[in-house]
Amino acid sequence: MKLGEAEKKPAAPAEVTVDEAQVVAFLKANPDFLERYPEVFEILELRHPAGAAISLIERQVEILRGKSGRLEDRLKTLLDAARDNEQRAANVHRLARSLIRAPTLAATISALRKCLREDFQVDEVYVGLSSAAIKREDIEGLHRVDANGPVARAFVDFFRTRLVECGPLDEARAKLLFPHAKVLPKSAAVVPLEKDKDLGLMVLASQDPQRFQPRQGRLFLDMAAELLAAAVRARLG
């Protein structure tokens, strides 16, 4: 080096920046990394939620136990749902058998109300048939619904769409449908009978305001309505 020439320092290596996502991706792609570099264990720091230091293996066991607990909870939920569905299917079968065996229209309505109250814990049941389908009004639990009558006006949206409605039941409509109820129901499912032929409607009501919810399943309701419509048609002649 010539006299007076400034000494040149070697250039510092460029700093490599690695984000956490890259580290995670690398470890997932190389699960044996810690086995190949056991010295890394010496600098890893793991903390228990309580604050005490724990080993990596203890931490892994803790995570696996958490996953196992969540899987067990999910399995229990699925088993409970399966048992509920099995019981519901048995109740629907009992309902179908009762409706088929009923000798008269009055017996059909009586059987329906009995099954829904005993097997499905429904507090109140209302069955309304179109005035075009039935003229008599002497059957307990069976009502004639006129096109411009109070029930049709109270459920105008339902009769317009003919879709199942589930949710809260206000006091005015509860009194209209169940004037003799000791305790007015707070929620209900309004189900059409023969959507394409406008046979009438079936209303299942509960004193529990949370029993019938807008987003609940409709399968049982549709099945019960189809069974009732078939039984009623057979008795109407």
Side-chain angles (χ1 to χ4, degrees):
M1 182 174 63
K2 295 180 180 179
L3 186 62
E5 183 178 351
E7 183 180 356
K8 294 181 180 180
K9 294 182 179 180
E15 185 175 340
V16 179
T17 303
V18 180
D19 61 26
E20 293 182 354
Q22 290 175 305
V23 175
V24 171
F26 174 81
L27 291 177
K28 286 183 176 180
N30 299 271
D32 61 339
F33 175 78
L34 293 178
E35 183 179 347
R36 291 187 283 113
Y37 297 92
E39 67 273 12
V40 177
F41 276 112
E42 298 178 6
I43 60 174
L44 289 177
E45 292 186 1
L46 296 175
R47 293 289 174 182
H48 190 273
I54 60 174
S55 70
L56 182 61
I57 292 178
E58 288 174 323
R59 181 58 174 166
Q60 289 175 327
V61 170
E62 184 179 282
I63 292 174
L64 290 174
R65 284 176 178 168
K67 289 182 178 179
S68 177
R70 289 192 294 272
L71 289 174
E72 288 179 0
D73 291 342
R74 184 177 179 185
L75 179 59
K76 182 179 183 302
T77 300
L78 291 174
L79 291 175
D80 289 343
R83 280 191 287 266
D84 289 343
N85 288 336
E86 183 178 6
Q87 183 60 53
R88 191 173 290 112
N91 291 342
V92 170
H93 179 263
R94 201 156 32 241
L95 173 61
R97 186 173 56 191
S98 298
L99 295 179
I100 291 172
R101 291 178 174 177
T104 63
L105 184 57
T108 297
I109 302 303
S110 177
L112 173 77
R113 298 173 70 190
K114 183 175 185 295
C115 285
L116 291 178
R117 286 172 173 169
E118 294 180 358
D119 295 336
F120 295 95
Q121 289 72 55
V122 174
D123 296 316
E124 301 290 344
V125 181
Y126 177 97
V127 178
L129 298 185
S130 167
S131 57
I134 188 171
K135 301 301 181 184
R136 57 188 300 186
E137 296 182 282
D138 59 337
I139 296 178
E140 183 180 0
L142 181 62
H143 310 270
R144 192 176 71 179
V145 178
D146 296 318
N148 297 312
V151 173
R153 291 195 299 271
F155 293 90
V156 61
D157 289 338
F158 167 79
F159 283 104
R160 177 177 54 82
T161 63
R162 304 294 298 168
L163 297 176
V164 177
E165 292 184 1
C166 296
L169 184 66
D170 60 73
E171 183 177 347
R173 295 199 296 178
K175 287 182 177 179
L176 174 64
L177 296 177
F178 311 107
H180 304 299
K182 294 181 179 179
V183 179
L184 289 177
K186 300 296 190 299
S187 65
V190 187
V191 192
L193 300 177
E194 292 187 348
K195 297 179 182 180
D196 56 337
K197 298 180 181 178
D198 193 16
L199 177 60
L201 77 160
M202 174 179 68
V203 182
L204 312 184
S206 173
Q207 296 169 7
D208 180 1
Q210 303 300 319
R211 173 64 188 282
F212 295 103
Q213 297 292 324
R215 295 185 178 181
Q216 75 177 68
R218 277 22 178 203
L219 180 60
F220 156 70
L221 298 172
D222 287 333
M223 292 176 64
E226 289 179 8
L227 290 171
L228 176 60
V232 167
R233 280 292 183 190
R235 306 313 186 271
L236 288 176

